[in-house]
Amino acid sequence: MTIRSTERFAPHRPAPHDGAMRRRAPSARWLMELVWRLEHGFERARANARPEEDTRVRIFVLLVVFSLVFAALAIGAAHAALFAPKRGIGGGANPAAVSRADLVDRNGRLLASNITHYGLYIDPAEIWDRELAFDQIRQALPRVSRNKLRRALFGSSRIIVEDGLTPNERTAVHDLALGGVSFEPEDRRVYPLSPSSLFVVGRADAGGAGLSGAEKSFDADIRAAGQEGQDFALSIDLRVQGVLENEVAAAAVENKAKGAVGIVADAMTGEVLGLTSWPAGAGNQVVSSTFEMGSVFKTFTIASAVDAGAANLTTMLDATEGFDVGGGRTIQDFHATHRVLSLEEVYLHSSNIGTSRLAVQMGAGRMQDYFGRFGFLAQPTIELPQLAKPRTPSDWSNSTLASMSYGYAIAVSPIQLVQAMNVIGSGGRFVPLTLRPGGRQDVQPRQVLSAGTVQTMLYLMRRNVVAGSGKPADAPGLRVGGKTGSANKLVGGRYDPSHGVGTFAALFPVDAAPGAHRYSIIVLLDEPTSGSRLGGAVSAPAVGRIADRIAPFLNIQRQDDPWRTATGAAVAQPEPAAAQ
């Protein structure tokens, strides 16, 4: 006789003193009661001899569990698809790399981007015919290493065989439909115009970290722009950059130089439009190397003297004989005239004697002040790594002042020379150089020279190209002004004329209206060995060609030259700056 229990079962209720149970979340208590009810439902079904109910309940429970799991997975997938962080090309292989923004020039032309490549992985345990797989993969991907592929196919574990597969290469292998072959996406930084603009753009590593150039200096900003799906623009103009690279390399090869650099910048805003260093393997000499640059420094010595009221265009300086600066040292002229020279003639004849007299007359205090204002005494601040510090004298004696007046006893980087030229080109303001389009908005330019001094210097620079040592830099109708520089390098404790530096520093157009853009161009050849080593011969012609080729990109119109007459003489001389 079967005895059926009629006793009702009630769930256990926690005692009032059971603090742990009272602290359980409502959802946990609900789940426990549900499990209790289901389990006792099975017990009741067995006790009442109704196994069909037991089966139905168990099937129901399984359906409920599977439904809940499926719903949870669906919700998770939908959440991942809709709310996962936005990423660039290449999926999620490398979040750091994917998040880097595309680098573009000032006109939106691509400089650097992320492109998805793939890693080829093989699990030999899932390969049926390993010899056949070897032949097929080699045919689809000829560049894969035979030895590495064989080791992978006949090994014991899943390994990567080849990385950096392009989408087409991945498709070719994928279409073989081989078991055990899989791919993992990996993001790579690519530079479609490499090596163009190499020293500006720089490089990022496989992990998405900037290693050099703008990639390193703007690393955080590039990542932030990438997260927002925006491009990151640099001040570089690829058209200007291409011309600069072409002409600097041509000049270096023609003159058999050890190295060469070139820069083009907007003097009004400080934006660098082009920057190159040749050869590429020598590093970025524009910012990392310093040079004694010779007579280009006469521009800044004379500008300092005019601005301080120590000289003007009517000033006469005695160059009939050498200038004794003390300590048994006498300054001589390379192109001696043996006569009294006007300030203009000092500049056009590049007289060491004339500029030395001005520097000594100015004195150490004022010379140090002005050279500091031009940015020669401190490390530049442009957004590039490995910035060299200038080599400045500790002794500011008359002999040192004389040497500095024509570019010796002080060594600066080419980027510092551009920075100083921009002071004159911008109307007398010191504007920091930058790779940011539109210039630095966080720095207020400071006034270095008066408007009168600027006009005097622009006149002298243009006169030097019309009638002085800068003639090879002239470009028809573009009103280029500038100064040559030639310096011997210190080798073995002495200045060796067989190791020289030839430079030309220019501005154009010199007659730009107030507030209009004026551009600086610097070309420096390091140790030219073919023919002349003078800046007027090796660097000035390249500057003229660069100006001629980039003028259309900068919207500079050719026009009659107010500094010339029909016979080539200069006109439109500015009013002399009054002595203070």
Side-chain angles (χ1 to χ4, degrees), residues 2-3 7-8 17 27 37 66 153 156 177-178 194 197 224 230 250 264 327 402 407 421 467-468 514-515 522 578:
T2 301
I3 299 176
E7 180 181 358
R8 289 188 174 274
H17 63 274
S27 59
R37 290 178 185 278
F66 277 115
L153 288 169
S156 59
L178 296 172
S194 183
S197 63
Q230 303 294 322
V264 176
M421 288 296 292
I522 307 293

Side-chain angles (χ1 to χ4, degrees), residues 3 50 76 97 105 134 146 150 162 174 179 241 261 263 334 337 351 363 386-387 402 417 436 464 488 491 512 518 536:
I3 299 176
R50 290 183 294 180
D105 82 340
F134 177 84
R146 296 174 60 91
R150 188 166 289 279
E162 190 73 41
H174 179 270
Q241 179 70 27
V261 301
I263 314 104
F334 184 75
T337 58
S351 170
Q386 300 179 323
L387 294 170
L417 179 60
R436 292 184 181 274
N464 190 49
N488 297 330
V491 179
R518 192 179 283 122

Side-chain angles (χ1 to χ4, degrees), residues 62-80:
L62 288 174
L63 289 173
V64 169
V65 170
F66 277 115
S67 297
L68 290 173
V69 171
F70 179 80
L73 291 174
I75 292 171
H79 182 274

Side-chain angles (χ1 to χ4, degrees), residues 11 22 29 87 118 137 282 307 312 356 362 372 385 397 460 483 522 553:
R22 286 198 305 271
R29 183 181 297 115
R87 298 189 177 189
Y118 298 88
I137 293 174
D307 199 69
N312 58 40
S356 294
M362 289 267 290
S397 65
L460 290 176
K483 185 71 182 75
I522 307 293
F553 307 144

Side-chain angles (χ1 to χ4, degrees), residues 134-195:
F134 177 84
D135 293 337
Q136 290 180 324
I137 293 174
R138 280 281 300 165
Q139 185 174 1
L141 190 65
R143 69 180 174 94
V144 69
S145 166
R146 296 174 60 91
N147 293 336
K148 193 171 183 179
L149 178 59
R150 188 166 289 279
R151 284 197 302 270
L153 288 169
F154 292 89
S156 59
S157 60
R158 180 177 183 266
I159 64 170
I160 184 170
V161 178
E162 190 73 41
D163 63 0
L165 270 66
T166 65
N168 288 339
E169 289 174 326
R170 176 192 180 280
T171 299
V173 178
H174 179 270
D175 288 350
L176 299 176
L178 296 172
V181 174
S182 59
F183 307 88
E184 292 187 8
E186 54 187 32
D187 237 59
R188 287 197 170 188
R189 195 70 161 168
V190 294
Y191 302 90
L193 298 177
S194 183

Side-chain angles (χ1 to χ4, degrees), residues 366-377:
R366 286 199 290 185
M367 283 293 292
Q368 193 168 7
D369 176 44
Y370 273 99
F371 273 33
R373 294 190 202 181
F374 281 116
F376 289 137
L377 305 183

Side-chain angles (χ1 to χ4, degrees), residues 2-9 43-44 46-49:
T2 301
I3 299 176
R4 295 181 179 176
S5 173
T6 59
E7 180 181 358
R8 289 188 174 274
F9 294 88
E43 293 179 5
R44 287 194 299 273
R46 285 194 297 270
N48 296 327

